[in-house]
Amino acid sequence: MYPLGSCTMKYNPRVNEVVSRIEGIADAHPYRPESLAQGCLQIMKLLSDCLLEITGMDAITLQPAAGAHGEFTGILLARAYHESKGNARKKILIPDSAHGTNPATAAAAGYQVANLKSNAQGMVDIAELERMVDEDTAALMLTNPSTIGVFESEIHKIADILHAKGALLYMDGANMNAQVGLTSPGFIGADVCHLNLHKTFCIPHGGGGPGMGPICVAEHLAGFLPGHPVVNLGGEDQIGPVAAAPWGSAGILPISWMYIAMMGADGLTEATKFAILNANYIAKRLENYFPTLYRGHGGLVAHECILDLRRFKNVTAEDVAKRLMDYSFHAPTLSWPVAGTLMVEPTESESKFELDRFCDAMIAIHGEMQAIESGAADRQNNLLKNAPHTADVVAADNWDRPYPRESAAFPVKSLRDYKFWPAVGRVDNVYGDRNPVCTCAGMGNYS
């Protein structure tokens, strides 16, 4: 299990990648004449049609090469749209529950960023939105479900407020794996959205790419989609290219097409349901140990949950992240978007066995934390402050720690059958102040 919240580290079937290595796809040049690239173009057309049906939008470009790149392209479309109406607006509204790249995207596109406060439930404060949106607002960048793991229950009202002022609703598609088959950006009133094909649609993460961040738009933005100087992509008012290749990282698009084709509409919807079910299962099992910070309608979360560890005085969320490595887990997202928390996204890929293994680990760690808090364990020299424990450390002749080797290496019996040994021991983060906040998922767990 690789439970990085907001990153959607799901299972990627190997057969999808086999297709991307087929001769004629793997060796296709971006500028190959269309008459010699009909197979690739057909796959891209099929994929585009599927993505438009899934999102409920009217037009698409495959050119952006990553999620943040797609965000940037979507905001450039918003700018071009407003300029075409003679109204060069200056401001982008971004909720504090938005995906982390949104403020940088808006600033890079030349906009002033205005922070929109959330209400006590972690959703957009409608009264605050009505106060802030005006004729100078270009768009609201909204992540739905939000980065804190809840659906915006008044999403249609949010869209209506924006549209009444001539502003656009940009929907960040980072968490689209909680929407597919159940709702869509088009249904909720979005004007433009991006999709992370390396999240929801199975292109693997790793090494910083290659990713894919296609943009889907409503009809009134279709004419502004990116053009290209070599390949005619149509569009009456198209902005310039945002990538050197007309269809971005086209060689990996067959992976997403294969995934969608094999899953089918029913399978994709079932995956969405399980992504939501799995997150709620974890939140429920752990609620007496690590309460979930935000919950939406009915006390439920969407596809991820934020576990609140802030009440502990002598143990930090970072300590827990490192200790999880001893239990054979990569840590969840640490201290983002809220310091002192862990954001867990199990995705639909994990079995109940694996979900229980994670919950059992967290419950066992809770017991270790309680021992430290009560003074039963030393507050500096303990299982969590010394985690993770490498094989070299556990097997060393000079074991001098105030707890057994077995507690360090095999805190639960199942680890005797399945054990990942961390390669590196404790490596602390470097903090500029006394409040340890790590905004990069997993940062500090490895060196």
Side-chain angles (χ1 to χ4, degrees):
M1 185 175 177
Y2 205 84
L4 283 174
S6 200
C7 287
T8 319
M9 305 299 283
K10 64 194 287 179
Y11 172 65
N12 300 298
R14 187 173 298 177
V15 65
N16 299 0
E17 297 175 52
V18 171
V19 172
S20 71
R21 295 196 293 269
I22 292 175
E23 184 179 357
I25 294 176
D27 61 355
H29 192 280
Y31 299 153
R32 175 181 286 183
E34 290 188 14
S35 61
L36 303 178
Q38 287 300 301
C40 292
L41 291 171
Q42 183 177 358
I43 289 175
M44 288 189 283
K45 178 63 166 61
L46 291 169
L47 175 62
S48 296
D49 290 345
C50 289
L51 295 178
L52 289 175
E53 182 176 350
I54 288 167
T55 59
M57 304 298 269
D58 298 312
I60 186 172
T61 176
L62 301 173
Q63 200 172 113
H69 193 192
E71 287 178 27
F72 181 67
T73 306
I75 296 303
L76 291 182
L77 295 182
R79 187 173 70 183
Y81 169 78
H82 288 302
E83 288 177 348
S84 73
K85 295 183 172 298
N87 185 3
R89 301 186 175 207
K90 300 177 181 179
K91 181 173 65 175
I92 296 283
L93 303 182
I94 301 179
D96 47 20
S97 62
H99 204 234
T101 51
N102 289 177
T105 292
Y111 283 103
Q112 299 170 7
V113 177
N115 182 42
L116 178 62
K117 297 293 184 183
S118 298
N119 59 26
Q121 289 74 44
M123 302 175 194
V124 168
D125 188 314
I126 297 297
E128 184 72 359
L129 174 63
E130 290 177 324
R131 184 187 69 81
M132 292 184 66
V133 67
D134 54 28
E135 285 72 16
D136 209 23
T137 303
L140 166 69
M141 297 184 74
L142 185 71
T143 307
N144 189 50
S146 66
T147 300
I148 61 175
V150 296
F151 285 97
E152 293 286 348
S153 61
E154 297 191 84
I155 185 67
H156 286 114
K157 188 171 184 179
I158 291 171
D160 290 344
I161 292 170
L162 291 165
H163 293 155
K165 294 288 187 178
L168 301 178
L169 174 57
Y170 177 94
M171 201 209 81
D172 186 304
N175 300 332
M176 190 67 194
N177 61 311
Q179 285 196 43
V180 176
L182 301 180
T183 182
S184 70
F187 174 74
I188 66 177
D191 300 282
V192 53
C193 71
H194 83 267
L195 300 172
N196 298 74
L197 297 191
H198 53 283
K199 288 188 175 187
T200 305
F201 298 103
C202 254
I203 292 175
H205 290 65
M212 280 296 292
I215 291 292
C216 299
V217 299
E219 186 177 6
H220 53 280
L221 294 180
F224 300 98
L225 289 171
H228 197 273
V230 177
V231 178
N232 180 18
L233 299 177
E236 298 176 3
D237 303 299
Q238 56 188 240
I239 64 172
V242 295
W247 295 284
S249 301
I252 56 176
L253 292 174
I255 297 174
S256 292
W257 174 69
M258 276 290 291
Y259 172 70
I260 293 171
M262 289 192 299
M263 292 287 280
D266 291 341
L268 291 172
T269 304
E270 193 79 354
T272 304
K273 292 178 179 179
F274 270 102
I276 296 171
L277 176 64
N278 288 352
N280 280 281
Y281 180 76
I282 288 177
K284 184 64 177 177
R285 270 211 67 189
L286 296 181
E287 65 182 0
N288 293 328
Y289 305 92
F290 304 103
T292 294
L293 187 56
Y294 293 102
R295 293 178 183 267
H297 181 71
L300 301 174
V301 297
H303 62 302
E304 60 193 8
C305 57
I306 297 180
L307 304 180
D308 192 355
L309 283 68
R310 294 175 297 176
R311 65 186 177 89
F312 294 94
K313 305 302 181 185
N314 300 291
V315 186
T316 68
E318 181 182 355
D319 296 328
V320 176
K322 294 179 185 296
R323 180 59 172 154
L324 274 168
M325 295 173 68
D326 289 328
Y327 286 79
S328 295
F329 285 103
H330 190 287
T333 299
L334 170 63
S335 286
W336 186 84
V338 180
T341 66
L342 294 174
M343 183 163 60
V344 182
E345 182 179 4
T347 79
E348 76 280 6
S349 301
E350 308 302 341
S351 65
K352 185 175 180 297
F353 173 86
E354 190 70 357
L355 297 177
D356 283 330
R357 194 172 76 85
F358 177 78
C359 291
D360 290 344
M362 290 296 293
I363 292 169
I365 291 172
H366 180 269
E368 298 169 354
M369 299 169 76
Q370 292 286 67
I372 297 169
E373 293 290 297
S374 68
D378 188 277
R379 288 181 176 173
Q380 293 303 320
N381 191 4
N382 57 60
L383 286 163
L384 279 91
K385 296 295 183 182
N386 292 331
H389 299 83
T390 65
D392 285 344
V393 167
V394 173
D397 293 333
N398 59 338
W399 181 264
D400 58 355
R401 302 185 180 184
Y403 49 86
R405 300 174 196 252
E406 184 172 10
S407 297
F410 303 107
V412 291
K413 290 183 179 180
S414 61
L415 289 169
R416 293 191 174 276
D417 300 319
Y418 178 86
K419 171 70 177 178
F420 167 81
W421 288 96
V424 179
R426 183 79 179 202
V427 179
D428 285 325
N429 289 323
V430 178
Y431 304 123
D433 54 35
R434 297 181 61 189
N435 298 313
V437 179
C438 171
T439 59
C440 182
M443 180 179 174
N445 296 335
Y446 299 111
S447 174

